[in-house]
Amino acid sequence: MLPWTALGLALSLWLARSGAERGPLVSAPQGDLLFLLDSSASVSHYEFSRVREFLGQLAAPLPLGPEALRASLVHVSSQPHTEFAFGQHNSGAAVQDAIRAATQLMGNTNTGLALAYAKQQLFAEAAGARLGVPKVLVWVTDGGSSDPVGPPMQELKDLGVTVFIVSTGRGNLLELSAAASAPAGKHLHFVDVDDLHIIAQELRSSILDSMQPQQLRVSEVTSSGFRLAWPPLLTADSGYYVLELAPSDEPGTVRRQQLPGNATGWSWAGLDPDRDYDVALVPESNERLLKPQHLRVRTLPEEAGPERIVISHTRPRSLRVSWAPALGPAAALGYHVQFGPLRGGAAQRVEVPAGHNSTTLQGLAPGTAYLVTVTAAFRSGRERALSAKACTPEAEQPRPAPPAAAAGAPRPGAVRWPPRLLEGSPAPEPGGGGARRRNQGPVLGGWGCGPGLCPEAIPRDFPALVLSSRPEPVSALRNAGPDPPLEL
């Protein structure tokens, strides 16, 4: 019995050693995780301590190790600073202790500079980054930055980095939605600094999902495309990949793309919005048989901006702008309305929250033509805009005092028709009935820039739809009989 026991023990040791040589199990997460911590003077010491504690709790349960997950921490300040690099700590407890030991640097909030630093010093292969493993960035911010964030963040996403953003409540929703990986609903969190623990489990699970090896992954999903990424299964000399893409409802319509064996990502573009697509990654190896990997991806609904604009309630110094809102799953995050005089002058901007589709523009000049542009902003960072032209009427002149009543004149309070006609209107025929101008509401079409309203010449082919007031043609009422004086 003893020889069999010894044989079983030796076999167990050999399997354990060979498993260690092969690395972690296929199902074990593997990748590089970078924490970007706002350490500038815009963050109070209390907020910094709360965020630091949150990151430590977030990292502690993660399966960190040399062949599994690696973590790093970079401070955002006037100059970026690495608290600890990838591979410096090999356990969750060690990373948690290192995060808790970090001190606030103060200085400016140069987040864009820190992102460029992360790309060059941490995520680049020349800097020792592991080839082909998933890469994740977790940026915790109070919402502001002293330098542009968009371009360096996009460069990281182009490298395949998945970006999670946690804002403590004062960030710009549109800017942060564009910076986070798509869809923003999964990668962007707004939470008070005292409630960060609420999102810890959800964020940790999302990070682990982004770092599953041997798995075809999708990111940056938009209404017209998405990005695919996979771990290295081949080398440039051992084979190549074939990517296949077909609409789920038309499996016979297949698009194929051949890629070299050292490729680990590809972006599909020019797809239909709100549609399911089946993706297959087929590794063609000349050394061993590898199974294809399959994935189904649904593109986002089309981002439709305002379809028409109406101008109403025009006053000498104000007017109201309304538009058909962007509806459906891709509803806009908000709108901004920009307006300025057509003849030149400073433009102004008004922010309108989501769920509203009108606003009143104040402080306008009388008798002036304005160009009004309504822009819808979406979670993807894209914008859709539509413009229209509108006119304010001339300011009302004070009425002169009525002259003394002459003999035979109607008594005070009596009104005779026809009234004074607008300039350019035909005069009433002698002996005929006076022209009656009835009370007229907004009329669809035109610019509302009739005589006496807007002196500027406005092209008729401008693409917009505007509501305005327009006098009724006098000729249409010539047959009306004479009217007696009206008692007021």
Side-chain angles (χ1 to χ4, degrees):
M1 192 70 181
L2 185 60
W4 287 105
T5 303
L7 180 60
L9 179 61
L11 182 60
S12 299
L13 291 173
W14 178 81
L15 290 174
R17 181 179 302 137
S18 61
E21 292 173 355
R22 289 194 302 270
L25 296 176
V26 169
S27 60
Q30 187 179 27
D32 293 335
L33 171 61
L34 174 63
F35 295 113
L36 195 63
L37 176 62
D38 191 345
S39 188
S40 68
S42 67
V43 179
S44 69
H45 291 294
Y46 174 76
E47 290 175 324
F48 181 83
S49 65
R50 298 298 296 168
V51 172
R52 184 179 56 189
E53 184 67 21
F54 164 71
L55 291 181
Q57 295 175 354
L58 186 68
L62 293 176
L64 296 165
E67 299 300 325
L69 296 188
R70 303 189 309 176
S72 176
L73 176 66
V74 170
H75 291 266
V76 174
S77 185
S78 297
Q79 293 294 327
H81 171 71
T82 301
E83 184 72 24
F84 55 87
F86 292 124
Q88 185 172 339
H89 302 291
N90 294 323
S91 69
V95 169
Q96 184 179 31
D97 291 340
I99 293 176
R100 287 174 172 173
T103 58
Q104 189 172 1
L105 302 181
M106 309 302 286
N108 296 326
T109 315
N110 292 331
T111 308
L113 187 63
L115 293 171
Y117 171 85
K119 176 189 173 185
Q120 298 170 359
Q121 302 296 325
L122 297 170
F123 282 136
E125 296 179 27
R130 291 182 291 179
L131 178 64
V133 302
K135 296 174 175 58
V136 172
L137 169 69
V138 177
W139 173 29
V140 184
T141 174
D142 68 343
S145 179
S146 304
D147 58 349
V149 173
M153 186 69 85
Q154 187 59 50
E155 291 181 9
L156 285 177
K157 290 192 285 188
D158 290 342
L159 290 177
V161 178
T162 301
V163 179
F164 292 92
I165 299 178
V166 178
S167 174
T168 53
R170 297 191 298 272
N172 184 294
L173 176 61
L174 301 181
E175 294 178 359
L176 295 179
S177 296
S181 291
K186 178 181 178 182
H187 297 89
L188 174 61
H189 299 270
F190 278 87
V191 61
D192 187 81
V193 71
D194 289 320
D195 297 325
L196 287 168
H197 63 279
I198 295 176
I199 66 168
Q201 180 59 44
E202 178 185 353
L203 180 58
R204 188 184 302 116
S205 298
S206 298
I207 293 172
L208 293 175
D209 289 342
S210 301
M211 291 187 167
Q212 289 296 329
Q214 307 298 327
Q215 178 181 341
L216 181 62
R217 304 183 307 278
V218 63
S219 62
E220 304 302 317
V221 181
T222 67
S223 60
S224 60
F226 50 82
R227 179 178 177 84
L228 297 170
W230 57 89
L233 306 175
L234 305 171
T235 64
D237 300 325
S238 65
Y240 60 92
Y241 296 100
V242 175
L243 264 178
E244 297 180 349
L245 174 77
S248 301
D249 54 352
E250 296 181 18
T253 308
V254 182
R255 294 167 58 180
R256 291 183 174 87
Q257 180 68 40
Q258 182 172 319
L259 300 172
N262 58 354
T264 57
W266 178 259
S267 294
W268 288 109
L271 307 183
D272 296 331
D274 201 19
R275 193 174 189 184
D276 288 324
Y277 286 89
D278 291 325
V279 180
L281 175 68
V282 184
E284 299 288 356
S285 173
N286 52 27
E287 297 177 351
R288 56 197 173 110
L289 180 64
L290 294 172
K291 294 182 179 180
Q293 298 186 35
H294 298 273
L295 193 65
R296 175 167 289 187
V297 184
R298 187 175 186 87
T299 55
L300 297 180
E302 188 173 9
E303 298 165 337
E307 296 182 359
R308 61 175 181 171
I309 297 176
V310 294
I311 307 294
S312 61
H313 298 82
T314 55
R315 302 291 185 270
R317 297 191 178 277
S318 67
L319 56 84
R320 188 162 188 80
V321 184
S322 305
W323 57 90
L327 303 175
L333 292 175
Y335 303 90
H336 55 261
V337 180
Q338 187 166 332
F339 60 99
L342 270 175
R343 294 294 186 180
Q348 302 180 57
R349 177 166 164 160
V350 176
E351 300 291 339
V352 181
H356 296 73
N357 66 324
S358 65
T359 187
T360 299
L361 307 183
Q362 305 280 357
L364 307 181
T368 305
Y370 283 87
L371 181 64
V372 180
T373 301
V374 179
T375 303
F378 299 90
R379 290 187 180 276
S380 64
R382 294 180 174 85
E383 294 183 340
R384 298 289 185 269
L386 184 65
S387 297
K389 203 175 296 184
C391 295
T392 55
E394 295 284 358
E396 294 184 2
Q397 299 296 328
R399 295 181 179 181
R411 64 183 180 276
V415 178
R416 290 191 179 277
W417 290 89
R420 182 178 63 84
L421 299 177
L422 291 178
E423 179 184 352
S425 298
E429 298 177 359
R436 177 183 302 152
R437 183 186 178 191
R438 293 178 294 191
N439 208 5
Q440 181 105 339
V443 178
L444 189 65
W447 300 115
C449 297
L453 291 182
C454 286
E456 292 85 357
I458 297 174
R460 282 289 183 182
D461 56 351
F462 194 87
L465 186 62
V466 183
L467 285 179
S468 62
S469 287
R470 177 177 297 172
E472 190 175 37
V474 174
S475 58
L477 301 171
R478 284 180 178 173
N479 295 327
D483 295 297
L486 297 181
E487 298 291 338
L488 297 181

